[in-house]
Amino acid sequence: MADNSVNRRRFLYGTGAVGIAGLAGCSGGDGGDGSDGSDGSDGSDGGDGGDGMDGDDGSDGEDGDDGSQNLSLRVGTSAGGTQDVGLAVERAVSQESDILDYSTIESPGYIGTIYRMAQNQFNAGITDNNSLNKALDDRGRFSEQSVSRIPQYGFGAFPYSIYVVARADTDIETFDDLAGANVYPAEPGYSTRATTLDVWSQDPTADVYDQMNIQNMGVGDAPGAMEEGTIDASIAYGAPGVRYTGFVQEMASRVDLTYVEPTDALIESAESYAGAGTTRTSYSDWQIAGTDIGTDEVFTWDLEVNYTFNPEANPDAVYELCRVVHEHNDVVNNGEEQFNNYDSAEEMLGYAQERIPVHPGAVQYYRDNDAWDDSLQEGDTA
C-alpha cells in the first residue's frame, strides 16, 4: 500500500548547490519521449553535468545596459508532449514580455528534473505532483537517493487523465472484474503507469490489484496484444478534450472497447491518493478516435503536471511568467492546446497542495489578482 503519511522533513533552502552523490544508481530505462505520459519515467538525473551547464541557474537578475533589470528563467523540460507545452510557453513569453528571458533546457524526465533542480542546474522545471510527493516521502526512486528539498509550486500546466477500457468481447464491466484479468497499465517506467499502480495498490483497491495479471510490454506492442486477446484491459489516457496518447487511439482503431466502470472503492482510492487528482469528463467531449465505449462520462485519476521553481529563482521573473500565461493564455494555447485553459488566476492554483510551498513570486501574483488561498504555504526565498 502506498504510504501517504505526512512527511516530517524540513524544507532546506540554501544558496549553494545541493550535492547529490551516487545518482547513477537512480537511473532507469528509456521511458519514451514523454508524449505517452512517460515524462516521469526514467529517473535519469544528469548528475555528471554532461549537458555543458556551468552551474549558473540564471536566477539572479542583472542590470542591462539601459539600467533595466534582466529577468531570466532556465526551465528544465522533458521531451515529447511536455516539451511541446514548454516551447509554447517560451514562444508566448518571447511575444508578450519585454523583460523576461525564458530558456528551455532539456531534462531527463520529471524525476530527473527534481534531481537536477536540487543541484541548481536550472532554476525552474516542469514536473508532476506524484513525483513531488514521492520526493517528500522518500518513496519510489527517492527511497534509493533522497533530495534535501523539492522545488516550489508555480502554476498547473496540464494533466494526463487516466481511466480503464476493456475489450468488448470480455465480461469485464467494473473495476472489480479486473481481478484475474490481463491488465496493461502502460509501458514499464511510464509516469502514467506509476501513478495508476500507486492508486490501485492502496486500500481499498489493493485486493483487486493483487489479483490482476499486470502486463509488461512496450506501447508499440500493446495494440497488437489487445487485438490478439493477450491484453483484456488497458488504461486510456491523455489531455481531456484535446487528445489521447497514440497507442490508445491505435487500440480503439483495431478493437471494440468498452468503458470499465469505477467502483466506490476505486473512486475512494483515487481521491485519497495525494499524488493524483480526480476529474469527471463528458465522453462526448473526449472520444477515443470517435468510437462509442458505452458511457456518457469518464472518471479519471490525473497525473497533475506543474511549473515549479527553486527558491533561488527571481520572484519578479516568476511573477512575470505567471502574468504571461494568465493574461496571454490564448497565445500559449494556440501554440499547444494541451496547456490548461485559464479563465482566472485562481484556476492556476488548481494543482497546488498544502504540503508543497508556492514560490513567493507566484504568491504575489495570486495576491495581486485576489486569487491567493491562505490554506497554502508560501515558500522561502534563497
Side-chain angles (χ1 to χ4, degrees), residues 14 26 47 57 75 78 103 120 163 196 207 230 260 262 270 278 283 363 366 371 373 377:
C26 297
D57 67 1
V75 185
S78 304
S103 302
N120 272 348
Y163 62 93
T196 294
D207 57 339
T230 55
V260 177
T278 58
Y283 184 69
V363 171
Y366 294 128
D373 183 347
Q377 58 173 314

Side-chain angles (χ1 to χ4, degrees), residues 59-93:
S59 60
D60 295 329
E62 299 178 355
D63 291 337
D65 294 336
D66 60 357
S68 62
Q69 189 180 47
N70 247 338
L71 304 177
S72 66
L73 290 171
R74 292 164 56 86
V75 185
T77 307
S78 304
T82 301
Q83 188 173 68
D84 292 341
V85 169
L87 291 173
V89 173
E90 181 176 358
R91 286 191 294 271
V93 170

Side-chain angles (χ1 to χ4, degrees), residues 12-18 55 57 59-60 118-120 149 311-312 381-382:
L12 303 177
Y13 297 122
T15 57
V18 179
D57 67 1
S59 60
D60 295 329
Q119 292 176 309
N120 272 348
R149 68 177 187 182
E312 293 84 3
T381 57

Side-chain angles (χ1 to χ4, degrees), residues 159-177:
Y160 280 125
S161 295
I162 313 163
Y163 62 93
V164 185
V165 291
R167 292 197 336 271
D169 60 357
T170 68
D171 294 328
I172 298 171
E173 296 180 357
T174 73
F175 179 79
D176 285 347
D177 296 329

Side-chain angles (χ1 to χ4, degrees), residues 62-72 89-102 316-317 319-321 323-324 327-328:
E62 299 178 355
D63 291 337
D65 294 336
D66 60 357
S68 62
Q69 189 180 47
N70 247 338
L71 304 177
S72 66
V89 173
E90 181 176 358
R91 286 191 294 271
V93 170
S94 70
Q95 295 174 34
E96 306 297 342
S97 177
D98 295 328
I99 61 174
L100 177 59
D101 179 20
Y102 181 117
D316 291 337
Y319 186 103
E320 176 67 359
L321 182 58
R323 183 195 70 79
V324 170
E327 294 184 3
H328 302 284

Side-chain angles (χ1 to χ4, degrees), residues 126-183:
I126 304 176
T127 187
D128 72 283
N129 274 339
N130 198 24
S131 296
L132 291 169
N133 275 276
K134 287 182 175 180
L136 281 170
D137 295 330
D138 290 336
R139 291 187 288 118
R141 296 193 184 278
F142 298 99
S143 66
E144 305 168 20
Q145 182 62 55
S146 64
V147 290
S148 60
R149 68 177 187 182
I150 67 166
Q152 300 169 353
Y153 181 90
F155 52 86
F158 62 91
Y160 280 125
S161 295
I162 313 163
Y163 62 93
V164 185
V165 291
R167 292 197 336 271
D169 60 357
T170 68
D171 294 328
I172 298 171
E173 296 180 357
T174 73
F175 179 79
D176 285 347
D177 296 329
L178 296 177
N182 295 328
V183 181

